[in-house]
Amino acid sequence: MRYLYIILVFVIFSCTSPQKQQIKSKKEIKAVLMQQQDFWNQGNIKGYMKGYFKSDSLRFASGGKVTYGWETTLNRYSNGYPDKE
């Protein structure tokens, strides 16, 4: 019977943990998006790019074109949006 209680407690805690992690992840994702929004509105492309995965594996698609790599994506944004306007 004692083992049953231990297993029950383990099951209860393991069931609630992913929900808490999911809520934390959603908050972290929202924070990154809000920070990107602020940088974008300031015309700060380098700051905006902090929200992207800084890797050569980054794949960004827009306007029928696909860009590969963080640096290439930064250059594309910088050329497409040279100033705040």
Side-chain angles (χ1 to χ4, degrees):
M1 190 67 152
R2 183 175 183 199
Y3 294 111
L4 182 61
Y5 288 124
I6 293 171
I7 292 171
L8 182 61
V9 169
F10 177 76
V11 169
I12 289 171
F13 281 112
S14 65
C15 289
T16 59
S17 178
Q19 289 177 338
K20 288 181 182 179
Q21 182 61 38
Q22 187 177 24
I23 290 169
K24 182 181 177 187
S25 295
K26 284 182 181 180
K27 287 181 181 179
E28 290 171 347
I29 292 168
K30 186 174 181 180
V32 170
L33 292 172
M34 296 305 292
Q35 186 178 43
Q36 279 190 297
Q37 174 182 289
D38 292 342
F39 282 131
W40 184 265
N41 290 336
Q42 295 165 11
N44 182 345
I45 299 297
K46 287 185 180 182
Y48 175 77
M49 286 295 295
K50 289 180 183 181
Y52 282 93
F53 179 50
K54 193 169 186 176
S55 168
D56 290 337
S57 299
L58 173 69
R59 186 175 81 175
F60 181 79
S62 176
K65 295 181 181 180
V66 178
T67 301
Y68 295 93
W70 187 91
E71 196 73 37
T72 307
T73 303
L74 171 63
N75 291 337
R76 182 173 172 189
Y77 269 125
S78 296
N79 292 333
Y81 304 96
D83 54 40
K84 191 174 178 179
E85 280 75 51

